[in-house]
Amino acid sequence: MRACLEGKKVILVPYMKEHVPKYHQWMQDPALLQATGSEPLTLDQEYEMQLSWTQDPNKRTFIVLDKEMVDGDFIQGHPHVEAMVGDVNIYMNDLDDSQMAEIEIMIAETKSRGKGLGKEAILMMMAFAIKTLGIHMFRAKIGESNQASLNLFRKLGFEEASYSEIFKEVTLELPVTKPKHEELLGLIGNMVTHM
């Protein structure tokens, strides 16, 4: 079992097969498909995708749980589907730089947006990636129409690196400078890691 990370508002848990039906339901929403640049999948394809994500050494995917929605106490290894609000991912897919990670966030539940859950999930994921994977550069590729994500990443210090006219996509980057490294590692002290 991989680690779970607990912050003030969210708990990040590994993407489990029990999460797939709700995740699949989210991904039927045309607005979410557009915002995430995804194609619709069948439920069977979604199960295959979940399995491939958990086995890929260059990906880390966590389901974002809203702590206020967890029934009872949080139990390590339990999927807590009732509290699912989104996911956060990193991909180490740059062949020239294995310490660069592309980061993505999705808060799929409309009622959970604008509460700071995405911000906390991104910061927790970045702190986790720096500590466990030695990441020194983060990149986010965001569709130009996804103003909420663009604003969030810019508030976190990401700056525009490029724009793709073909994909209508902005690439933002955040180098992990010494002050940023210390700031993110400071977050680890505020997180509970469940193993």
Side-chain angles (χ1 to χ4, degrees):
M1 177 62 60
R2 294 185 309 168
C4 297
L5 308 173
E6 184 175 351
K8 290 181 178 142
K9 299 178 180 183
V10 301
I11 303 170
L12 305 183
V13 298
Y15 186 22
M16 301 177 220
K17 67 179 186 302
E18 293 87 351
H19 296 129
V20 172
K22 187 166 187 176
Y23 191 91
H24 179 68
Q25 180 183 349
W26 289 338
M27 300 313 288
Q28 303 309 299
D29 179 348
L32 277 180
L33 290 171
Q34 180 184 6
T36 59
S38 300
E39 295 292 325
L41 300 176
T42 66
L43 184 58
D44 286 342
Q45 289 170 323
E46 207 75 72
Y47 276 109
E48 290 170 16
M49 186 73 73
Q50 180 272 335
L51 186 60
S52 75
W53 286 357
T54 59
Q55 295 176 344
D56 188 333
N58 294 319
K59 287 185 179 160
R60 299 294 184 279
T61 298
F62 287 96
I63 293 295
V64 179
L65 305 180
D66 182 338
K67 285 176 74 170
E68 291 182 355
M69 295 169 58
V70 172
D71 285 341
D73 293 329
F74 173 73
I75 301 168
Q76 164 72 12
H78 186 282
H80 292 283
V81 173
E82 77 282 354
M84 283 176 67
V85 295
D87 70 339
V88 61
N89 309 285
I90 56 170
Y91 307 96
M92 288 75 67
N93 56 7
D94 189 315
L95 299 177
D96 297 324
D97 186 354
S98 62
Q99 300 328 119
M100 194 287 298
E102 186 174 331
I103 187 164
E104 298 177 340
I105 181 73
M106 174 182 73
I107 300 299
E109 294 291 334
T110 308
K111 67 184 179 295
S112 298
R113 295 181 189 151
K115 297 167 78 177
L117 305 180
K119 177 181 177 182
E120 184 177 67
I122 291 169
L123 290 170
M124 289 169 61
M125 178 62 104
M126 288 170 52
F128 171 80
I130 288 169
K131 177 134 173 99
T132 62
L133 304 168
I135 299 301
H136 69 78
M137 172 71 81
F138 290 97
R139 179 176 294 149
K141 295 181 179 179
I142 303 168
E144 69 179 3
S145 63
N146 190 343
Q147 283 302 311
S149 282
L150 287 168
N151 292 339
L152 172 59
F153 279 92
R154 286 178 175 136
K155 283 180 190 170
L156 293 174
F158 282 72
E159 294 184 357
E160 189 168 332
S162 64
Y163 174 75
S164 170
E165 186 67 44
I166 295 169
F167 295 110
K168 305 287 186 214
E169 184 177 78
V170 180
T171 298
L172 303 171
E173 291 184 344
L174 178 70
V176 182
T177 60
K178 188 169 173 41
K180 183 56 77 175
H181 186 269
E182 290 170 4
E183 173 192 339
L184 289 168
L185 287 183
L187 294 174
I188 300 249
N190 297 326
M191 286 190 315
V192 176
T193 303
H194 302 275
M195 299 302 272

